[in-house]
Amino acid sequence: ATPTSTTPASTDAPTTTTTEPAASQWLLDYLGAAPGEAAGEPIRIGFVNQRSFSPESETAVRIAVDTLNTQASGAAGRPIELVPCNVETEADATACATSLATDPSVTMIMVGAFQAGNAAFYAAAGTAKPILVATGLPASDFLSTTSQTFTVGGAGVVAGLATFIVDGLSPAPQQVGVLHLDSPAGQASVDLFIRPILERAGANAVFVPLPVDGDPAAVQAAISSSGAATADTMLLALNVANCISAYDAFTQLDIDPTVVAVGPCNSVGVGEHLAGLGVNDPVPDGWYFGNNGYSSYIPNSEAGVDAYNEIMDAAAAATDTPIDRTGLAPITAATTFTIAKLMNSLGAAATDPAALRNAIVTFEGPMMFQAGPIACGRTVIVGVALTAVCASQMGVHQYRDGSWIPVLDGNNGRAIDLNAI
């Protein structure tokens, strides 16, 4: 399928027209790789993603693989070949898992992000191939015993944001409106993490499930009928469409709450919507956003943010095509590069499933864009042991008066420790 590219909403993320090689020295050092093109028989990696939910992940993984193959000697010196599989339904999930697990030419399976039949996917995939998830969403992603994820995913971000609301905002909110998707993933986030954290703090909270399609009229009606319109603080655990509809609903209802939101709310789609309304900002002014400890909008050389932006700049310049580097794109690219890093460390054993699985579960970092230590299976949030999750810190940043500001994240050494919640 053709990767989806969209027009950036602003120039806050660094943009240049550089013709320098995409693989910076930082990336080569991170990978433990030599510069140059990959050669030999390809290493085939299955890539599973929900295009309708995260088209930017598909773009990011292809750019990362192209960078590896042409500039950083691929993985273990060999080119990486993606075997893509799009998941929109539970039937798709089962079919993708079965196809990739039984294909002897596929070394491992990488998941971008999807939320349709995840449990069925893991059941069908079994343990034949290592599975590494870029961004976990529903409970089955972070409670899986057959996959790992080097990032905190949706579970960690919403738990950290709920903690930020009760511990980090001043003055403390009088009422919290929790707008979440009316989906298995959305309900799991509420039941396992958001509600327990807010209840423990004694916060007055109203929970508002919203239709996945983000219908503007339905979103505004739900906020009004639930009583959430009186909330002084809103937690948005939503997709892009609902983030846009929530913003419009706030305007129509003439309310101005403090907004704390998940990553999809600072996507290119939101910025394009604002531009159509004559608002010259990439996201609504004053909103807080959760991240994995670092943001592509805030320069940082040590965490790989600068290298990532250089790579995206080079890809855009090479094709003269705008590229969406927001949303889940940074974590998808980071996970792709980290797979190559692990394969480089294995050398000739890079395609051995047992060796690769061991390298994944024993990986201790560092991980691009992810703050804190990496220790698979040791993350526990409000008593819930996340067997598949290897990271335990998340961050919060804010867009205010035209600038991106680190609030509690890896940039200022104040990332939220999820194990302490």
Side-chain angles (χ1 to χ4, degrees):
T2 302
T4 301
S5 296
T6 54
T7 304
S10 79
T11 57
D12 287 280
T15 54
T16 68
T17 55
T18 179
T19 56
E20 293 296 314
S24 67
Q25 189 59 50
W26 183 95
L27 181 63
L28 294 173
D29 291 342
Y30 178 77
L31 296 169
E37 292 192 34
E41 183 180 357
I43 296 177
R44 305 185 81 222
I45 297 175
F47 179 68
V48 180
N49 188 61
Q50 186 173 353
R51 190 174 301 129
S52 63
F53 176 78
S54 182
E56 74 275 13
S57 288
E58 192 170 278
T59 303
V61 73
R62 292 182 185 280
I63 291 173
V65 166
D66 182 66
T67 301
L68 288 165
N69 288 345
T70 62
Q71 302 287 339
S73 302
R78 296 163 56 181
I80 296 172
E81 179 183 335
L82 291 177
V83 184
C85 203
N86 184 49
V87 172
E88 301 293 343
T89 66
E90 183 169 325
D92 291 340
T94 300
C96 281
T98 302
S99 174
L100 295 172
T102 58
D103 185 341
S105 71
V106 173
T107 294
M108 67 170 292
I109 300 170
M110 175 183 166
V111 173
F114 72 98
Q115 48 182 353
N118 298 62
F121 171 83
Y122 293 116
T127 59
K129 310 282 175 68
I131 303 172
L132 188 62
V133 179
T135 302
L137 295 173
S140 51
D141 279 349
F142 47 81
L143 299 178
S144 169
T145 58
T146 59
S147 68
Q148 314 297 148
T149 174
F150 293 150
T151 69
V152 295
V157 168
V158 297
L161 290 177
T163 300
F164 172 67
I165 286 173
V166 297
D167 292 340
L169 290 179
S170 181
Q174 297 300 304
Q175 184 184 44
V176 181
V178 180
L179 310 186
H180 64 91
L181 294 180
D182 188 10
S183 67
Q187 197 59 53
S189 294
V190 167
D191 293 342
L192 293 175
F193 307 111
I194 301 175
R195 191 190 304 275
I197 291 170
L198 296 182
E199 287 184 349
R200 185 178 62 187
N204 175 21
V206 178
F207 296 87
V208 187
L210 299 179
V212 175
D213 63 6
D215 177 68
V219 170
Q220 183 173 333
I223 293 173
S224 296
S225 63
S226 66
T230 61
D232 56 309
T233 300
M234 294 282 191
L235 170 55
L236 275 52
L238 302 172
N239 56 13
V240 176
N242 275 284
C243 294
I244 292 171
S245 293
Y247 172 83
D248 288 346
F250 299 159
T251 302
Q252 293 297 321
L253 294 169
D254 194 25
I255 58 177
D256 186 25
T258 297
V259 176
V260 179
V262 296
C265 290
N266 71 351
S267 71
V268 161
V270 173
E272 290 176 337
H273 180 73
L274 294 179
L277 298 175
V279 178
N280 189 30
D281 287 304
V283 294
D285 187 66
W287 283 23
Y288 295 91
F289 301 95
N291 59 45
N292 291 77
Y294 298 95
S295 165
S296 61
Y297 291 108
I298 302 174
N300 185 294
S301 59
E302 293 184 1
V305 175
D306 296 353
Y308 168 80
N309 281 316
E310 290 169 10
I311 289 164
M312 290 300 182
D313 289 343
T319 60
D320 195 27
T321 302
I323 291 172
D324 183 357
R325 69 183 70 195
T326 64
L328 304 183
I331 292 302
T332 305
T335 301
T336 308
F337 288 130
T338 304
I339 288 172
K341 174 183 178 74
L342 295 178
M343 288 184 170
N344 287 341
S345 71
L346 293 174
T351 57
D352 177 78
L356 185 54
R357 182 177 288 107
N358 182 66
I360 290 172
V361 300
T362 60
F363 181 57
E364 296 181 346
M367 167 69 179
M368 291 178 70
F369 276 93
Q370 176 60 60
I374 302 294
C376 294
R378 298 182 187 177
T379 300
V380 180
I381 306 177
V382 290
V384 180
L386 308 185
T387 52
V389 177
C390 306
S392 58
Q393 294 185 12
M394 62 80 66
V396 178
H397 64 285
Q398 184 187 32
Y399 180 78
R400 188 173 74 234
D401 298 331
S403 298
W404 292 94
I405 303 165
V407 179
L408 299 171
D409 68 7
N411 291 290
N412 55 26
R414 301 176 63 201
I416 296 173
D417 182 1
L418 301 172
N419 283 328
I421 296 176

